[in-house]
Amino acid sequence: MREFFLDEEIKIPFILFGKTHIGCIIIGLTGLLLIYLLRNQIKKIDKKKHRLIKYTMFIILFGNMAIYYGSYLYYGVYNWKVHLPLHFCFIAGILFMIYLLTGKRKLYKIIFPLTFIGPLPAIFYPELTSSFDHFLFYQYFISHHLLMIFSYFILYLEDFTITLKDTIKTFITANLIFLIMSIFNMIFKTNYIMSGGLPNFLTELYPFLNHIFPPIVLETVGIIVLFLISLLTHIKNKEDNLLKNKTKKD
């Protein structure tokens, strides 16, 4: 069990863009596609079941993180400079879990894009060494792929309308998070959200990144993902408006 949680010896390696990695990407993107294709059925789910669905999502996400950190504490390898839940994906996940418990609609409108800004780049470039024989592989899949799928599912389940104003708030929130964590990193000599430097495997893969200030890389990627997610919300809003106009004519 210790080996399963701590991965002290790599037995089944995780290869970037290998079969396992590509399979994970396909599963994640297929999940998002299925939600879009089944969006009308999702909207019709009995409201009495909404709370059960959201609580189930919370249990999966919270349990995943509890096991992840609990195993490090149990085996005595926990290091607060590395293992605090202050990476962007984890922060987005925590905010999403707060929404699942509270149902605060204003909160969801801001954090919906955040649940993609961190996880989406990470599903293409994960910092993993092992796969099926290491818990971190499953933790990574749940906290990135499933987080996006859950968040997108909620968009249609609760029938949200996310406006440009909401997107601007998300942009401001994301930058505030990055600024706060940059200050935290400077004070405590940590590297959460990679403000101090990109992972070695990325700079080895793309050497030109060594010559670019890390925050510029992260800001650029964040803006690109935010734009892509804005297209998803735009499509939903457009479909909703067409349906409303059709209903009025009928």
Side-chain angles (χ1 to χ4, degrees), residues 77-219:
V77 298
Y78 184 85
N79 180 352
W80 70 270
K81 286 194 172 185
V82 178
H83 298 137
L84 288 176
L86 298 177
H87 298 287
F88 203 97
C89 299
F90 292 173
I91 292 173
I94 290 170
L95 292 173
F96 181 65
M97 283 189 278
I98 292 173
Y99 159 74
L100 292 174
L101 285 181
T102 64
K104 299 292 184 181
R105 294 181 68 85
K106 289 184 179 179
L107 176 62
Y108 176 84
K109 288 185 177 185
I110 296 174
I111 65 172
F112 170 67
L114 296 183
T115 57
F116 284 82
I117 289 175
L120 189 58
I123 75 168
F124 287 99
Y125 293 99
E127 193 170 4
L128 290 175
T129 54
S130 294
S131 54
F132 300 107
D133 61 337
H134 183 23
F135 176 74
L136 185 60
F137 171 75
Y138 303 97
Q139 188 276 337
Y140 149 77
F141 186 87
I142 293 172
S143 61
H144 294 79
H145 299 67
L146 271 191
L147 175 61
M148 291 191 302
I149 290 171
F150 285 171
S151 184
Y152 192 42
F153 186 89
I154 290 292
L155 180 69
Y156 285 101
L157 180 72
E158 299 279 272
D159 201 13
F160 278 96
T161 298
I162 297 178
T163 64
L164 176 60
K165 184 178 179 180
D166 296 319
T167 302
I168 293 173
K169 289 180 180 179
T170 297
F171 179 77
I172 294 172
T173 300
N175 279 280
L176 280 175
I177 292 173
F178 185 80
L179 177 61
I180 292 170
M181 288 314 308
S182 294
I183 295 172
F184 181 94
N185 288 333
M186 289 176 61
I187 296 173
F188 297 104
K189 309 300 180 183
T190 54
N191 189 34
Y192 291 108
I193 311 186
M194 299 180 290
S195 66
L198 300 173
N200 290 333
F201 82 95
L202 266 183
T203 54
E204 290 174 4
L205 194 61
Y206 304 111
F208 70 89
L209 292 176
N210 286 307
H211 306 291
I212 304 176
F213 191 41
I216 294 177
V217 176
L218 299 173
E219 187 78 18

Side-chain angles (χ1 to χ4, degrees), residues 47-80:
K47 291 190 180 296
K48 294 179 180 178
K49 297 179 181 178
H50 286 202
R51 182 174 296 182
L52 175 61
I53 291 172
K54 289 191 287 186
Y55 283 178
T56 301
M57 290 179 176
F58 173 82
I59 291 171
I60 293 172
L61 294 173
F62 181 80
N64 178 54
M65 298 305 293
I67 295 172
Y68 172 63
Y69 288 113
S71 64
Y72 285 168
L73 287 168
Y74 179 80
Y75 289 111
V77 298
Y78 184 85
N79 180 352
W80 70 270

Side-chain angles (χ1 to χ4, degrees), residues 10-47:
I10 300 174
K11 295 180 179 179
I12 307 178
F14 182 92
I15 301 173
L16 194 65
F17 296 113
K19 291 181 180 179
T20 300
H21 185 199
I22 292 175
C24 288
I25 293 174
I26 291 173
I27 291 172
L29 297 181
T30 300
L32 296 175
L33 178 60
L34 285 174
I35 290 171
Y36 178 73
L37 295 176
L38 299 173
R39 61 194 182 283
N40 293 324
Q41 290 92 319
I42 293 172
K43 286 183 179 182
K44 295 176 182 177
I45 292 176
D46 191 339
K47 291 190 180 296

